[in-house]
């Protein structure tokens, strides 16, 4: 009997672990949109920090990210236990924020002139060149700003993950949320560390005697700025797809409309199978763009109205 009970327990544990693995994969896939943006944002946050201080700054932000998740994961589990009806509204709110953030990036050239961006860059360069600048205070401000940004992005990741495991037992929820929190933190900041040191690695290799290493170093130096731009573009596109997907799944009429459109596209000759695969993603992204534009409009009008009220 004891042996049978042990085997039953092992089987139950294996089943739970298998379920957890599946849910973790689904949650990781759904949070990929935030991950791309997270990488680009956090790599940009250390811009202007001296090369020898880049990794300590990334490490400090990573520790702050872990503290953020130590707050967010228990909060998410508490919501799941006490007010599970809040999960869908929170997901919708997170999806709308993703769309807003993505559209704000697209609209940046319209909302801010090139002169404003150039002035900001020149002010930053001048501050860093000034011997009177307190570099420790500058670093602390950078770290605090990055941790605030991380809190928002981490909240989005945890909210999306919670929606994935909402119907699972508490232990599975705890395991998946904790796993995603740890994987995302280690993955994001490990990659950020690699990205911010890519140019230094390229410079080091370019000074070697070997022609092959010099070529590789030059390639890394040339690739670094393009990598940042690519991350930003891919991250923005993914935000529309993920954020729009959350909204369409939460609004049944949109979800059904996308299903019907996909079915129609799938019945077309020759290209039907391809269109059936692309249509849901394209319509989710389109929904995300429209939602982002509407939220940005509301936020902009609200900000201007608040300024007028304050005189």
């Amino acid at each position: 009997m004891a042996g049978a009970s042990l085997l039953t327990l092992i089987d139950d544990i294996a089943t739970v672990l298998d379920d957890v693995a599946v849910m973790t994969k689904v949650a990781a896939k759904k949070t990929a949109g935030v991950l791309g943006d997270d990488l680009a944002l956090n790599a940009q946050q250390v811009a202007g920090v001296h090369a020898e201080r880049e990794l300590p700054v990334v490490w400090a932000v990573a520790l702050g990210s872990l503290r953020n998740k130590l707050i967010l994961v228990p909060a998410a589990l508490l919501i799941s236990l006490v007010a599970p009806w809040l999960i869908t509204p929170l997901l919708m709110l997170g999806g709308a924020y993703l769309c807003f953030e993505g559209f704000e990036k697209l609209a940046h050239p319209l909302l801010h002139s090139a002169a404003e961006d150039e002035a900001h860059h020149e002010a930053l360069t001048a501050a860093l060149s000034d011997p009177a600048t307190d570099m420790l205070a500058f670093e602390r401000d950078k770290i605090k700003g990055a941790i605030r940004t991380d809190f928002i992005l981490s909240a989005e990741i945890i909210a999306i993950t919670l929606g994935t495991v909402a119907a699972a037992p508490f232990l599975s929820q705890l395991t998946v949320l904790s796993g995603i929190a740890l994987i995302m933190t280690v993955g994001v900041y490990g990659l950020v560390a690699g990205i911010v040191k890519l140019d230094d690695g390229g410079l080091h290799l370019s000074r070697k005697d070997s022609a092959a290493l010099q070529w590789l170093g030059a390639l890394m130096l040339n690739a670094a700025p393009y990598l940042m731009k690519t991350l930003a573009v891919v991250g923005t596109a993914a935000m529309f797809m993920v954020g729009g997907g959350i909204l369409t799944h939460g609004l049944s009429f949109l979800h059904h409309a996308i299903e019907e459109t996909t079915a129609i596209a799938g019945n077309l000759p020759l290209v039907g199978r391809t269109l059936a695969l692309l249509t849901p993603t394209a319509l989710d992204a389109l929904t995300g763009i429209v939602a982002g534009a509407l939220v940005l409009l509301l936020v902009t009008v609200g900000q201007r109205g608040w300024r007028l009220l304050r005189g």
Side-chain angles (χ1 to χ4, degrees), residues 287-304:
T287 302
I289 292 171
V290 173
L294 291 174
V295 175
L296 180 60
L297 177 63
L298 290 173
V299 169
T300 303
V301 171
Q303 287 175 339
R304 290 180 180 176

Side-chain angles (χ1 to χ4, degrees), residues 16-17 19-20 23-24 72-84 87 158 161-162 164-179:
V16 170
L17 290 177
D19 291 342
V20 166
M23 288 186 290
T24 302
L72 290 166
V73 169
L77 291 170
L78 183 62
I79 289 171
S80 180
L81 286 172
V82 177
I87 295 175
I158 297 301
T161 305
L162 182 61
T164 304
V165 299
F170 177 80
L171 182 59
S172 296
Q173 290 183 356
L174 174 61
T175 306
V176 173
L177 283 169
S178 301

Side-chain angles (χ1 to χ4, degrees), residues 45 49-50 52-54 56-57 60-61 134-145:
Q45 287 283 2
V49 175
H50 289 311
E52 67 273 11
R53 295 296 302 159
E54 285 175 342
V57 168
V61 178
D134 186 346
M135 293 308 298
L136 288 177
F138 178 78
E139 275 189 21
R140 284 195 295 269
D141 290 340
K142 281 279 185 181
I143 291 167
K144 288 178 182 177

Side-chain angles (χ1 to χ4, degrees), residues 127-280:
L128 291 173
S129 303
D130 187 354
T133 299
D134 186 346
M135 293 308 298
L136 288 177
F138 178 78
E139 275 189 21
R140 284 195 295 269
D141 290 340
K142 281 279 185 181
I143 291 167
K144 288 178 182 177
I147 291 173
R148 283 195 298 269
T149 301
D150 176 272
F151 188 89
I152 296 170
L153 294 170
S154 294
E156 293 170 4
I157 289 170
I158 297 301
I160 293 169
T161 305
L162 182 61
T164 304
V165 299
F170 177 80
L171 182 59
S172 296
Q173 290 183 356
L174 174 61
T175 306
V176 173
L177 283 169
S178 301
I180 286 293
L182 187 60
I183 289 167
M184 288 296 178
T185 303
V186 173
V188 165
Y189 290 100
L191 287 172
V192 167
I195 291 168
V196 299
K197 300 307 290 183
L198 184 65
D199 53 350
D200 291 338
L203 182 61
H204 176 73
L205 291 176
S206 67
R207 292 171 175 171
K208 295 290 185 180
D209 294 332
S210 169
L213 291 178
Q214 290 177 5
W215 175 84
L216 180 60
L219 180 65
M220 290 169 65
L221 283 170
N222 291 327
Y226 292 105
L227 176 61
M228 286 296 298
K229 290 178 182 178
T230 301
L231 279 173
V233 171
V234 171
T236 301
M239 290 171 82
F240 287 128
M241 289 186 287
V242 174
I246 292 171
L247 295 177
T248 57
H249 280 80
L251 300 171
S252 57
F253 69 95
L254 280 177
H255 184 62
H256 292 147
I258 289 175
E259 284 185 335
E260 291 173 3
T261 305
T262 302
I264 293 170
N267 289 327
L268 294 175
L270 300 177
V271 295
R273 181 175 296 180
T274 302
L275 286 178
L277 291 173
L278 297 178
T279 298

